[in-house]
Amino acid sequence: MRILSVAHNHPSFHPGGTEIIADQLTLEYASRRDTSAMLLVGLDSYYRMPHSGTFLQAIPGRSDVLLFRSRGFDAFQQIQTRFDSLLFDLAWFLEEFRPEVVHIHHLNHFGIEFLALVRRIVPDAVVVYTLHDYYLICPNDGQMVTTKSDRLCRRASPDACRACFPERPGVVFQVRKLHIQRHLDCVDAFCAPSEFIRERFVDWGIPDDRIRVVRNGRNWGDQAQFAEPAKGRRRSRFGIFGNLRRTKGTLVAAEAAARLVEAGFTDFSLELFGEDLFQKEDFSRELDAKIDRAGGRVWRHGRFDLGELPALMDRVDWVLVPSTWWENAPLAIDDAFFFGRPVLCSDIGGMAEAVRDGIDGVHVRAGDPDAWAAAVHRAATDPGLWEKLASGVDRPRTIAETADHYFALFRELIGARRNSLPVATGATSQTPNRKRKKRTATPVRVKAGSVRRTGG
């Protein structure tokens, strides 16, 4: 089986959850017998400057990863405005690799029209789209929060979207939705890592029977689960893992810590592991001010690599996930559970679905610093709470187990295609599949900074 995964970035540039899952799944696919897999990554000039003569590049040491440098992507509309890169470089690559499965994780930097290109170039391929976030629904960076106050948006509509973007007429949002949904007809099956995000997309318009839940997995390598902290000591060490940003609740957690210190409680620590990528200067200033108010009880440590996770996790008793937006399936929760750490999380979205309140963690009112201060105080002072919740933690799914679910789906869809003569639907009209001469895929060899065609 030849599998092409598609994502909007790579963890070597940006350590986001979708990027990590796409990369680890591609490696897992390639490890299986009689399977070849490649990861096609879209990115912009912030990470890589263009090379003359091609929109495709490579990562040194990773012949299974191909970088696509887009220059015409409209993030608001999720469309591609310059089709030369799609119609030449990407069309050539699809012809060369001839994937039997195209697994979409994200189409940022590609545009929704990439789906129509796949249908035109490799009409017999099955297309699976994993819904990691809300970019297709929400033009506000896929956050499903309002632009003015960061309040949760419960349902997208032309009126609701225009309230966030008053400079645009309401018809723009209806056209945006219709254009995206029309292209989504090219997809054979959708997957959702949580029931929550599945319900949101069903409410948005994808038929209920077209989306199935496939939980994310993670590859922690051979890292052992660390022993619990010593008996008789307070479990008062807290940690946040991942990118630091407003919607991740970083400011809420820092404010909660500052309020505890100002109220006279200092028997705790909060360590922040991650970067404030793409955040405005006022965010960093506000965060630093709250850390100063916390009187040395909060520390920032910057970006970390997966190999550092065991040592970093050993420094904390609890993991906080205080996001103020509808998180889908945060990897920080799986990481915490793998190392036996209970989780304090916001009581919304996929976070509340992944953490069982009172069993392996605690739900805390999203965006409420006082509620978070109370939860931290309770966790740090209740001697039996950590033991109770830690004993309820189940080991999370591995990336191999997640891949098993995807392979079963791929085989099901391939079998359905072989047993029928479908007419592909989507943004471009297609003719029914006719008998084609059997073709052997031409191998693609990738060198750092260039792409070379081989074979004939």
Side-chain angles (χ1 to χ4, degrees), residues 10 13 39-43 48 55-59 65-69:
H10 190 269
F13 300 114
L39 174 60
L40 180 63
V41 171
L43 77 170
R48 274 288 185 89
F55 291 96
L56 301 177
Q57 299 180 26
I59 296 178
V65 178
L66 194 62
L67 307 179
F68 169 65
R69 269 278 292 106

Side-chain angles (χ1 to χ4, degrees), residues 119-172:
R119 274 285 165 257
R120 180 174 292 278
I121 303 300
V122 280
D124 294 331
V126 299
V127 179
V128 174
Y129 200 133
T130 296
L131 304 165
H132 289 283
D133 52 38
Y134 312 99
Y135 271 91
L136 299 179
I137 300 176
C138 176
N140 182 25
D141 201 28
Q143 294 286 295
M144 291 296 290
V145 296
T146 61
T147 55
K148 297 178 181 178
S149 60
D150 286 335
R151 295 179 63 85
L152 290 169
C153 176
R154 299 188 179 275
R155 187 173 187 178
S157 70
D159 289 339
C161 293
R162 191 166 185 272
C164 285
F165 300 94
E167 72 281 4
R168 296 177 184 258
V171 68
V172 167

